[in-house]
Amino acid sequence: MKRRFAVLWALALPLVLLLLGGCASKPPADPVSRQWAQAMQRGHQALTRGDAGPAEREYTRARWLAESIDDRPARAEAVVSLAAAIEAAGRDAEAFAVLQALLAADEGLTPGLRVVAHGRAAALCLSQASPDCARTHVQAAHRQCAGTCEHRFSVAMLRARWALSAGSIDEAQALAHEVLTLLPAASNPAEPAGRRLLGERANALRLLARVHLARGLPAPAVAQALAALDLDRELGRPAHVMASLELLAEAHERLGDGAQARQWRERAALARQAAAQLGRTN
């Protein structure tokens, strides 16, 4: 996985995994629905590993299975997941087109799935430096995810990313701090819900590190990035680990510590190569 996509995907993944964590929570009754649930689960596992190709194949199969029984909600869920795999493979324009078509048709989209689709579209706009496009989808996700929406932390982080990209550093910092304040003090990484919450904490810490860099404060950025890296390692999230390592390299570069920056970059490169090798062997 190329460096750019590894870093962007690490920033984008939480909304998708929050959606997918609920897949196949209750065994479907009919054979086709069971096959759909199994394909979605395999896709989720591949995507978590960073294996975009296998994930794309499984989600495509899930979409076909849903279409074969005219199950619109299942098809919509598979398509959102398919767009995530296409993005992870580095085909941003194609992923965005898939999401745009799904949102325009608005067939089978539950409120939660609509939040995820708008969130993914917003993240793609941010990666392409399209602020107006990003604002449209961020605002749509925020409107859809009001009150105690289960995606509220991911949407808040998306709003923080958009604020930072727009130069609203204070707003980005306030949103990241709000997420850290609202998250439970302790979460069990052995449970899916606990893993998601710990992942959101790592994402908030990483964004705060970027806020510090934007303010010209690399020392606190190092502290936040190290804290995020510890969580990423605990959760076993390769793409996020790479993003934290790259952030540490940038922060040390800003500190004027070129030797340490090179060490972090070398570690990021090694992690990237290992992830690519694993992808080829799966």
Side-chain angles (χ1 to χ4, degrees):
M1 186 183 297
K2 295 180 181 178
R3 169 182 169 182
R4 173 177 170 272
F5 297 120
V7 174
L8 291 173
W9 182 239
L11 295 171
L13 191 58
L15 269 173
V16 176
L17 294 188
L18 181 55
L19 164 70
L20 297 177
C23 286
S25 57
K26 189 180 295 184
D30 65 278
V32 174
S33 294
R34 278 199 302 273
Q35 291 177 55
W36 174 89
Q38 291 164 357
M40 290 294 288
Q41 184 62 28
R42 288 193 298 268
H44 169 43
Q45 291 167 347
L47 198 60
T48 303
R49 293 193 307 267
D51 295 341
E56 184 175 349
R57 289 192 293 274
E58 293 296 343
Y59 292 141
T60 298
R61 174 173 171 75
R63 183 191 67 186
W64 289 341
L65 287 164
E67 289 174 348
S68 74
I69 57 173
D70 194 33
D71 188 333
R72 291 296 169 175
R75 179 190 183 277
E77 189 168 339
V79 169
V80 170
S81 303
L82 176 60
I86 292 171
E87 180 189 352
R91 303 188 330 261
D92 287 11
E94 184 181 345
F96 186 75
V98 168
L99 290 168
Q100 285 285 78
L102 182 67
L103 286 165
D106 198 18
E107 293 180 348
L109 284 170
T110 62
L113 197 57
R114 196 173 291 110
V115 170
V116 174
H118 278 298
R120 294 300 325 114
L124 284 163
C125 294
L126 286 169
S127 73
Q128 297 299 313
S130 301
D132 291 339
C133 165
R135 181 176 61 250
T136 296
H137 288 288
V138 167
Q139 290 175 345
H142 183 48
R143 284 195 304 270
Q144 192 73 50
C145 190
T148 58
C149 162
E150 64 176 325
H151 306 288
R152 63 190 183 280
F153 296 128
S154 294
V155 171
M157 289 309 304
L158 191 62
R159 291 171 60 207
R161 282 184 59 206
W162 176 76
L164 186 59
S165 72
S168 302
I169 299 175
D170 289 343
E171 182 181 356
Q173 184 171 5
L175 284 165
H177 275 306
E178 180 182 345
V179 169
L180 288 172
T181 300
L182 293 175
L183 284 169
S187 300
N188 184 358
E191 298 176 355
R195 289 180 60 82
R196 289 196 295 270
L197 293 174
L198 288 171
E200 294 294 1
R201 183 173 296 280
N203 296 331
L205 289 167
R206 209 169 10 254
L207 189 131
L208 282 177
R210 296 201 172 278
V211 165
H212 288 311
L213 287 178
R215 294 191 188 281
L217 301 170
V222 168
Q224 301 284 12
L226 282 171
L229 178 60
D230 284 343
L231 286 171
D232 294 328
R233 285 170 173 158
E234 180 182 5
L235 296 170
R237 309 192 303 172
H240 296 78
V241 167
M242 282 183 264
S244 294
L245 292 171
E246 294 284 2
L247 189 52
L248 283 163
E250 182 180 351
H252 279 92
E253 194 73 53
R254 301 276 192 93
L255 282 170
D257 191 345
Q260 188 67 58
R262 281 192 299 276
Q263 288 183 24
W264 286 115
R265 286 201 179 92
E266 288 170 0
R267 290 166 69 168
L270 184 60
R272 197 176 309 113
Q273 291 166 7
Q277 187 63 38
L278 286 170
R280 284 192 289 270
T281 58
N282 284 318

